[in-house]
């Protein structure tokens, strides 16, 4: 309602701010008129801001809103139309007023179809506004009954109404979602009692019209109605789950299904498929709800899980309340483990991904969601739960563990911070309720100066914002835990409490990761009692990266929404035996029209010609492929893949290494964008596994002229894409009037909630210390007025008592008795009867109580206040969270509008998870997933946005698989065979399961990366169809080396994991030195910059040592993921590696300043897993493993071997123990091939460009000498003889070695090497004069 005028008649209303400045009189608040009504009669002349963000983010009001533009004629017209329409809902409806009903809903539809966002967003608000009669008008239409021959009229009135409530302007707009939800709640009625009868009458009218010969309706009209009805029903069940139990709902769906069959709707058309899919999802939702209800109604005896018998070899054990988080319905499972779950000895229910194995759910899609959710959750928390459960038991048996700096959690990577306590609980207006947790500084920081301590924390990856924390404490000899998320990482030494401000104490700010009242109560209790414990950090566990995925799986199961379910979960084939067949996949829905064609003009060599591809074209049509190959730059395999991608709604493209997957993706994008307008595609979403691959792909698009690109996520390293980030682009998007009004009211409400929360927190924080009369008197006055009156400052005669408060005198002797010690084990809590007796005495005469009873009574009052205040705080925080969600929805809707205008949206799988709620409201029909072979199936499912009609996956399942944490869920382990969580959807459907068809895969087959000597290694083992492009046959030989491909064999043993410092990786120091020597040699040739060389290794332990040794010569480049893996595996700035440091110092002393300067270039060092999709001219590989047991580790799988062998363009050099690797079949084949070309040996054959005829070998790190007919073999027994040959003068090519007199230095180094290694035989050669 409009505010009343202040003062007398005729006075100008006083405009006020909603916020005041602090003390100085400056006022930065909003215009109150605008806040209350969304309008201001002063318009652009108003001197107060109308934008709430201007009062929060800046000192001065936003100029953007102070200098408002005048309304355009179009805006004036839209406003007039809206005001005219709104007049209809200001008047109560009349019975049978058909003209008003028609005018109301056709007018609403016109507004929603218009271009003015302000009025689109006002419409649902005004319909839901209790001051209007919108609901009454909806009730009038819903209660209408068609009389004889009135079916046509009823449908004509209902159609615009249905189109309004299912309009994308309402369903996709996050800003008005609350209002839309309340409208659907009203339309539903109690459990659907209002909506279902309405839809039944409507369905009957549609059938009657079809039967009546006097009424003619176009098929398009039937299609429109059926799509609207099915969408409205789906939205209704999505928002009002209880409607699924309505008895008439199945019959209603049967009626809709009958209408689709008898109305001659083309079964291949998009409307038919949309309606059929919706009806299928609705049936599944009903079946799922009834299935769960039937199980909930079954009585359980003594808490024992129900066992369902089956025809399978084993029974199905239902997950049903064996502990508090053991639920059949995954939507009821709390994502973070509960304490009861962690303590439970029951094995977690883990279903198999094998469809022939038993499961309590029979619906394929429901089962798929359930399986993927449980396995992904177990992958994240399974081992962590087990470790925490063991720790809690151990702490109860030995409380001193809480102070143990080296507290271990088995195989779980964790940093313990002992002597921790929750110092204070506060409220931040941006982040909400937080706890400041203090702990003992790491030992190595305690004697450092504050600037050094700050630098350590700044460089460290520890306690990063968003990381998962766990606070384990002990109360009354029982352990407890709380999960937190680090919310603010302050390293400022000037702040009172930060990570670096104190010598012996660090403090991190964190939020509770759970939203339960019990956890909040425990946090407050721990803080009030200053209870000690240990803070555990789980590096790499970022809740924001996977919780949205798990929540999305929960929601998708509830809604039974799985696009392309017939391809993702194919039915078994009927052929005998294990034979398989390919699925026949139709074109995407938007291209089902027989006349639809894809224009290929944008990718033709001659832009003046045109070439169109029918959506029904055959992938293997040679004439089409020949024509496409001739007119484009695509090779034959790429042509076939392009056709497959365009003509299949669910398309797979396999790209072996170097075959141009990204190039094909760019050409495919050109074609799709050419038909974007015609097919109403909306933005095309590109999903990649890594930031590097996403940046590369989007840069390619930008370079060919595609400008409307929006990149989601802040991890981009591309300067080209810097201005295309969503965060930057959305800053230019104006908020609507409705959004500004909603923001203003929400911010105002948040400010009120903040004051209440801070007041409650102040009481809780103070009551935890010595209870004061100021904290107790209100409580006593409300609950115990007779006791309160006995502490009054006014006596019975009405005289004022001078001096201290009577309560202070009454309690002054209790200071050492109880305060802050109520949780100690030697204290016994009084029983309710004892408290009742004490209160009875206190009501008569509180001063007659003994000291112990006074202490107990104060403790009891304190407990009551704490409980009441905690209840109040929880409710306040809940309301605060609700308000914050409204703000988030508004800001997300601004982002959604920006995204909707893009041609291409780029996002990583992790970024998609974080922004899934926004992306689900973007109308986009095409999703392209790059690196699909590395994407976990739960992530791929989340990429199936509600509006998607075309999914193209580009990847290679024979390269790296998705990364998981729990090896017990991997198909590489025997234990993980039933689960196979690291098997991508791409691999699962490409390979196919037993008795099930496969998705057809278009494979690229012409590689343009590797020289034939390299490509033959993967061609003869994995890709028999792989063909070398002619350009690869003319690649130059590697300068300075005799062989372009070579395996250096050695038997120097590896170093194992360092368990005491939490480093679980392997390394091999000898290989580090040899790799370093080879890199220096190749760079010395002057033909390659170090940036053209890549050093690869399978282990982070070796990666760390390589980085330590080489970083003084080169600027080491590590990928973001390798940095994360190093931190996760325990290699950070705090690591002390004496051996690497000593070796680095030794090498530094041997190098000259000139050399060091010349070598200071970029050098890429990477793990094999994080180099997929990349390449380098020269690749040097340290294989690491060298042991008597012949354990190969990571490199035993063909996927990793494939990646490792396919990164190099010109030359590839492997350093490893042949005996260790030769027992792996693929390695045996590779070694066989290399041995055939004499490319295996115990020395690298080097070559001087100036003296190509002179042979030289490298047999030890750093020792490179010439070989001739006369040679000297250095043996351990001949060291003394060599020492005596000081007069020997060796000749060396200074161009080759870049240093004079290297021979003597090399000889000396050889002698040192022999002495230190104590080898029996060393192949070191020297040329004598």
């Amino acid at each position: 309602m409009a505010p009343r005028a202040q003062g007398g008649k005729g006075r100008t209303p006083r405009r006020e701010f909603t916020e005041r400045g602090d003390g100085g009189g400056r006022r930065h608040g909003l215009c109150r008129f605008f806040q209350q009504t969304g309008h201001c009669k002063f318009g652009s002349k108003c001197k107060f801001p109308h934008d709430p963000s201007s009062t929060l983010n800046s000192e001065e009001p936003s100029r953007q809103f102070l200098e408002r533009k005048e309304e355009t004629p179009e805006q004036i017209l839209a406003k007039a139309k809206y005001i005219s329409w709104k007049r209809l809902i200001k008047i109560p409806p009349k019975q049978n007023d058909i003209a008003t009903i028609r005018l109301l809903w056709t007018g609403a539809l016109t507004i929603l179809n218009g271009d003015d966002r302000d009025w689109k967003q006002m419409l649902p608000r005004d319909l839901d506004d209790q001051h209007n009669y919108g609901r009454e008008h909806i009730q009038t239409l819903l209660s209408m009954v068609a009389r004889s021959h009135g079916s046509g009229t009823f449908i004509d009135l209902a159609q615009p109404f249905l189109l309004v409530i299912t309009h994308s302007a309402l369903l996709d707009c996050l800003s008005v979602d609350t209002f839309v939800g309340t409208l659907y709640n009203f339309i539903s009625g109690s459990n659907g009692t209002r909506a279902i009868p309405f839809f039944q009458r409507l369905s009957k009218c549609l059938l009657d019209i079809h039967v009546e010969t006097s009424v003619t309706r176009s098929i398009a009209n039937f299609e429109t109605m059926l799509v609207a009805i099915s969408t409205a029903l789906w939205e209704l069940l999505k928002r009002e789950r209880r409607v699924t139990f309505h008895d008439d709902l199945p019959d209603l769906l049967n009626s809709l299904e009958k209408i689709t069959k008898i109305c001659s709707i083309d079964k291949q058309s998009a409307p038919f498929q949309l309606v059929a899919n919706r009806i299928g999802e609705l049936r599944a939702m009903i079946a799922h709800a009834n299935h769960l209800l039937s199980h909930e109604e079954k009585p359980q005896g003594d808490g024992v899980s129900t066992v369902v018998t089956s025809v399978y070899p084993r029974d199905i054990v239902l997950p049903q309340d064996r502990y508090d988080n053991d639920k059949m319905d995954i939507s009821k499972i709390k994502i973070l483990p509960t304490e009861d779950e962690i303590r439970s000895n029951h094995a977690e229910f883990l279903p198999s991904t094998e469809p022939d194995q038993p499961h309590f759910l029979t619906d394929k899609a429901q089962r798929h969601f359930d399986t993927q959710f449980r396995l992904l959750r177990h992958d994240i928390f399974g081992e962590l739960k087990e470790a925490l459960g063991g720790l809690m038991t151990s702490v109860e048996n030995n409380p001193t563990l809480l102070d143990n700096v080296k507290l271990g959690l088995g195989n779980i990577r964790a940093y313990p911070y002992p002597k921790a306590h929750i110092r204070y609980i506060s409220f931040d207006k941006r982040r909400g309720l937080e706890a400041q947790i203090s702990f003992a500084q790491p030992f190595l920081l305690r004697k450092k100066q504050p600037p050094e301590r700050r630098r350590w924390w700044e460089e460290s990856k520890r306690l990063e914002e968003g990381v998962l924390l766990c606070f384990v404490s002990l109360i009354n000899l029982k352990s407890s835990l709380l999960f937190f998320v680090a919310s603010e990482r302050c390293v400022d030494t000037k702040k009172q409490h930060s990570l670096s401000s104190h010598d012996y104490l660090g403090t991190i700010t964190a939020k509770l990761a759970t939203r339960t009242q019990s956890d909040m109560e425990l946090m407050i209790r721990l803080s009030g009692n200053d209870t000690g414990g240990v803070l555990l950090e789980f590096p790499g566990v970022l809740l924001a990266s996977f919780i949205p995925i798990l929540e999305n799986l929960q929601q998708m199961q509830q809604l039974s929404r799985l696009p392309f379910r017939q391809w993702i979960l194919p039915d078994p084939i009927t052929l005998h035996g294990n034979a398989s067949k390919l699925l026949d996949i139709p074109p995407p829905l938007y291209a089902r029209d027989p006349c639809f064609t894809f224009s290929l003009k944008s990718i033709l060599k001659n832009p003046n010609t045109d070439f169109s591809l029918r959506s029904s074209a055959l992938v293997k049509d040679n004439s089409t492929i020949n024509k496409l190959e001739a007119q484009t730059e695509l090779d034959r395999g790429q042509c076939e893949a392009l056709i497959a991608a365009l003509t299949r709604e669910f398309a797979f493209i396999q790209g072996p290494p170097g075959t141009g997957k990204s190039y094909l993706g760019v050409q495919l994008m050109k074609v799709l964008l050419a038909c974007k307008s015609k097919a109403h595609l909306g933005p095309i979403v590109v999903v990649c596994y890594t930031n590097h691959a996403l940046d590369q792909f989007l840069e390619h698009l930008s370079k060919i002229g595609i400008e409307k690109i929006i990149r989601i996520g802040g991890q981009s390293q591309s300067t080209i894409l810097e201005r295309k980030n969503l965060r930057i682009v959305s800053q230019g998007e104006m908020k609507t009037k409705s959004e500004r009004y909603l923001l203003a009211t929400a911010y105002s409400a948040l400010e009120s909630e903040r004051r209440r929360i801070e007041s409650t927190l102040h009481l809780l924080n103070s009551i935890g210390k010595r209870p004061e009369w100021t904290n107790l008197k209100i409580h006593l006055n409300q609950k115990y007025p007779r006791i309160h009156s006995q502490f009054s400052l006014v006596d019975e005669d009405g005289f004022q008592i001078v001096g201290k408060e009577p309560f202070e005198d009454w309690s002054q002797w209790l200071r050492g008795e109880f305060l802050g010690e109520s949780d100690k084990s030697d204290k016994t809590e009084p029983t309710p009867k004892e408290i009742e007796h004490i209160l009875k005495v206190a009501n008569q005469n509180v001063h007659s109580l003994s000291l112990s009873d006074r202490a107990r009574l104060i403790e009891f009052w304190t407990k009551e206040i704490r409980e009441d205040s905690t209840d109040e705080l929880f409710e306040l925080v809940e309301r605060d969270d609700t308000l914050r969600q409204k703000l988030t929805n508004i800001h997300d809707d601004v982002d959604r509008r920006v995204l909707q205008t893009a041609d291409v949206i780029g996002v990583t799988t992790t970024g998609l998870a974080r922004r899934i709620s926004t992306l689900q409201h973007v109308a986009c029909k095409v999703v392209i997933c790059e690196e699909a072979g590395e994407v976990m199936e739960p992530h791929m499912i989340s990429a199936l946005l509600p509006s998607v009609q075309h999914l193209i996956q580009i990847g290679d399942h024979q390269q790296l698989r998705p990364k998981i944490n729990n090896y017990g869920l991997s198909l590489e382990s025997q234990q993980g065979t039933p689960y196979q969580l690291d098997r991508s959807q791409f691999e699962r459907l490409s390979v196919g399961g037993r008795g099930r068809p496969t998705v057809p895969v278009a494979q690229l087959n012409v590689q343009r990366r590797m020289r034939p000597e390299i490509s033959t290694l993967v061609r003869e083992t994995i890709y028999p169809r792989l063909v070398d492009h002619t350009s690869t046959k003319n690649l130059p030989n590697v300068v300075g080396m005799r062989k372009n491909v070579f395996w250096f064999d050695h038997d120097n043993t590896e170093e194992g994991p360092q368990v005491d410092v939490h480093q679980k990786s392997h390394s091999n120091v000898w290989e580090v030195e040899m790799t370093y020597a080879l890199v220096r040699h190749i760079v010395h040739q002057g033909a390659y910059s170090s940036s053209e060389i890549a050093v690869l290794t399978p282990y982070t332990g070796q990666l760390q040592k390589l980085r330590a040794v080489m970083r003084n010569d080169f600027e080491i480049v590590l990928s973001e993921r390798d940095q994360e893996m190093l931190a996760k595996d325990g290699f950070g700035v705090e690591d002390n590696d004496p051996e690497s440091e000593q070796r680095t110092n030794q090498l530094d002393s041997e190098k000259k300043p000139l050399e060091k300067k010349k070598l200071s270039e970029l050098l890429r060092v990477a793990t094999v897993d994080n180099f997929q999709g990349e390449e380098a001219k020269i690749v040097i590989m340290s294989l690491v493993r060298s042991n008597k047991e012949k354990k190969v580790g990571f490199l035993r799988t063909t996927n990793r071997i494939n990646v490792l062998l396919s990164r190099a363009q010109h030359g590839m050099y492997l350093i490893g123990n042949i005996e260790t690797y030769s027992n792996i079949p693929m390695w045996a084949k590779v070694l066989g091939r290399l041995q055939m070309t004499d490319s295996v040996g115990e020395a690298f054959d080097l070559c001087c460009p100036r003296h190509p005829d002179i042979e030289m070998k490298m047999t030890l790190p750093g020792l490179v000498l010439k070989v001739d007919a006369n040679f000297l073999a250095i043996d351990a027994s001949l060291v003394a003889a060599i020492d005596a040959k000081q007069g020997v003068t060796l000749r060396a090519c200074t161009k080759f070695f870049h240093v004079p007199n290297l021979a003597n230095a090399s000889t000396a180094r050889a002698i040192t090497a022999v002495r230190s290694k104590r080898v029996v035989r060393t192949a070191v050669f020297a040329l004598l004069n």
Side-chain angles (χ1 to χ4, degrees), residues 12-202:
T12 302
R14 181 164 56 95
R15 289 169 288 148
E16 297 182 358
F17 287 123
T18 60
E19 294 182 0
R20 299 285 179 181
D22 46 332
R26 294 185 63 188
R27 299 183 291 182
H28 306 295
L30 301 168
C31 168
R32 178 168 291 182
F33 283 160
F34 188 84
Q35 178 188 356
Q36 293 179 343
T37 67
H39 306 283
C40 174
K41 71 177 187 177
F42 295 96
S44 59
K45 296 181 179 179
C46 180
K47 59 182 179 181
F48 303 135
H50 294 168
D51 176 30
S53 61
S54 65
T55 67
L56 291 174
N57 301 325
S58 62
E59 287 293 323
E60 297 298 331
S62 171
R63 294 182 61 83
Q64 177 183 0
F65 295 96
L66 292 178
E67 300 174 1
R68 297 185 56 80
K69 296 180 180 179
E70 295 295 327
E71 290 182 330
T72 65
E74 292 79 9
Q75 289 173 327
I76 294 172
L77 180 60
K79 180 179 180 180
K81 288 182 177 180
Y82 186 82
I83 292 173
S84 176
W85 172 83
K86 187 176 178 179
R87 194 174 295 115
L88 296 173
I89 59 173
K90 288 183 176 181
I91 302 172
K94 300 176 183 177
Q95 284 291 83
N96 300 320
D97 188 356
I98 294 176
T100 299
I101 295 174
R102 180 179 286 113
L103 194 60
L104 175 65
W105 297 112
T106 55
L109 187 60
T110 301
I111 292 168
L112 295 179
N113 286 333
D115 297 325
D116 197 305
R117 285 198 302 266
D118 287 326
W119 305 119
K120 287 183 183 183
Q121 293 185 2
M122 286 298 297
L123 189 142
R125 282 180 53 193
D126 285 334
L127 278 175
D128 187 49
D129 194 334
Q130 294 181 355
H131 296 94
N132 298 324
Y133 294 94
R135 293 188 176 191
E136 288 78 359
H137 280 280
I138 293 173
Q139 172 67 44
T140 300
L141 178 59
L142 294 178
S143 60
M144 285 186 69
V145 178
R147 306 301 178 188
S148 57
H149 303 293
S151 297
T153 302
F154 184 41
I155 291 173
D156 288 340
L157 295 176
Q159 181 168 318
F161 166 72
L162 291 175
L163 293 178
V164 166
I165 65 173
T166 60
H167 201 284
S168 60
L170 299 189
L171 301 185
D172 289 337
C173 182
L174 292 163
S175 298
V176 298
D177 189 65
T178 301
F179 305 106
V180 175
T182 55
L183 287 175
Y184 266 96
N185 180 271
F186 177 79
I187 292 169
S188 168
S190 177
N191 299 333
T193 52
R194 187 180 290 125
I196 300 302
F198 166 72
F199 286 118
Q200 284 181 306
R201 295 193 298 273
L202 194 56

Side-chain angles (χ1 to χ4, degrees), residues 1095-1163:
V1095 176
L1096 304 185
T1097 183
Y1099 293 99
T1100 53
Q1102 189 76 340
L1103 181 70
Q1104 172 70 359
K1105 283 185 165 57
L1106 287 166
R1107 178 175 68 166
V1109 168
M1110 295 184 178
R1111 61 186 167 195
N1112 290 309
D1113 279 340
F1114 306 98
E1115 184 179 341
I1116 303 299
V1117 179
L1118 292 179
S1119 71
E1120 172 194 338
R1121 290 185 180 272
D1122 273 329
Q1123 293 180 50
E1124 291 173 358
M1125 285 182 63
L1126 283 171
K1128 184 177 180 181
D1129 289 346
F1131 301 101
V1133 296
E1134 66 273 22
D1135 300 324
N1136 295 317
D1137 188 352
E1139 186 176 2
S1140 294
E1141 187 175 347
Q1142 180 181 356
R1143 176 61 186 152
T1144 301
N1145 294 336
Q1146 178 187 345
L1147 292 172
D1148 284 348
S1149 65
E1150 294 175 357
K1151 285 177 280 186
K1152 297 189 176 181
L1154 183 62
E1155 291 181 274
K1156 194 170 181 178
K1157 184 177 180 181
K1158 287 184 178 178
L1159 292 176
S1160 293
E1161 302 175 18
L1162 299 176
L1163 177 67

Side-chain angles (χ1 to χ4, degrees), residues 509-577:
T509 303
K511 286 175 61 71
L512 271 176
T514 54
R515 291 186 177 181
T516 64
Q517 184 165 348
S518 60
D519 283 349
M520 182 183 290
E521 289 173 351
L522 177 59
M523 178 179 70
I524 292 170
R525 183 182 179 189
L526 294 173
S527 174
N529 297 328
D530 202 23
T531 304
V534 61
L535 182 67
L536 299 170
E537 175 191 0
F538 302 103
V541 182
L542 301 175
L543 298 187
S545 65
F546 58 80
I547 280 185
I549 295 291
L550 290 169
E551 289 177 340
N552 190 48
L553 289 171
Q554 289 176 319
Q555 184 186 47
M556 289 181 77
Q557 191 202 45
Q558 284 185 307
L559 302 178
S560 294
R561 185 185 68 80
L562 182 61
F564 312 117
R565 70 173 65 200
Q566 68 273 41
W567 316 128
I568 294 173
L569 302 169
D571 293 324
I573 56 178
T574 56
L575 299 176
H576 297 290

Side-chain angles (χ1 to χ4, degrees), residues 836-848:
E836 185 179 351
H837 173 72
I838 295 172
L839 285 171
K840 186 175 180 180
V841 173
N843 273 311
Q844 299 300 321
N845 184 359
V846 72
H847 298 284
S848 67

Side-chain angles (χ1 to χ4, degrees), residues 331-464:
S331 66
K332 295 180 180 179
I333 295 177
K334 296 174 183 176
I335 291 178
L336 280 165
T338 63
E339 183 173 330
D340 189 40
E341 179 181 2
I342 290 171
R343 290 183 180 274
S344 174
N345 292 322
H346 292 287
E348 186 174 357
F349 173 71
L350 295 178
S352 172
T353 54
E354 171 57 49
D356 293 331
Q357 290 298 312
H359 194 285
F360 62 86
L361 293 173
T362 55
D363 181 85
K364 291 189 298 182
Q366 295 282 337
R367 170 181 175 157
H368 195 58
F369 292 132
D370 181 273
T371 300
Q372 296 299 323
F373 175 88
R374 294 181 191 275
L375 293 182
L376 179 59
R377 183 175 181 271
H378 184 74
D379 180 56
I380 299 163
F381 296 117
E383 293 179 329
L384 186 146
K385 287 192 302 181
E386 185 177 347
L388 285 176
L391 175 64
M392 294 176 74
T393 303
S394 300
V395 165
E396 290 171 353
N397 296 329
N398 182 11
T400 60
L401 289 174
L402 293 176
D403 296 333
N404 189 347
V405 178
K406 294 186 176 181
L407 187 67
L409 288 177
N411 292 325
I412 296 296
R413 177 72 187 145
Y415 292 121
Y417 301 93
K419 299 181 180 179
H421 65 278
I422 300 176
R423 188 184 63 81
Y424 194 74
I425 299 172
S426 61
F427 185 82
D428 183 87
K429 66 179 182 180
R430 289 191 302 110
R431 298 185 299 269
L433 194 69
E434 297 178 321
Q436 281 75 47
I437 306 175
S438 296
F439 53 86
Q441 282 279 15
F443 183 77
L444 60 89
L445 298 181
R446 295 177 187 175
K447 295 183 179 180
K448 291 183 180 292
Q449 293 298 315
E452 293 177 306
R453 199 160 49 240
R454 173 174 182 164
R455 184 165 57 254
W456 188 92
W457 278 110
E458 286 175 339
E459 294 175 357
S460 171
K461 294 286 185 180
R462 289 196 180 193
L463 294 176
E464 289 188 313

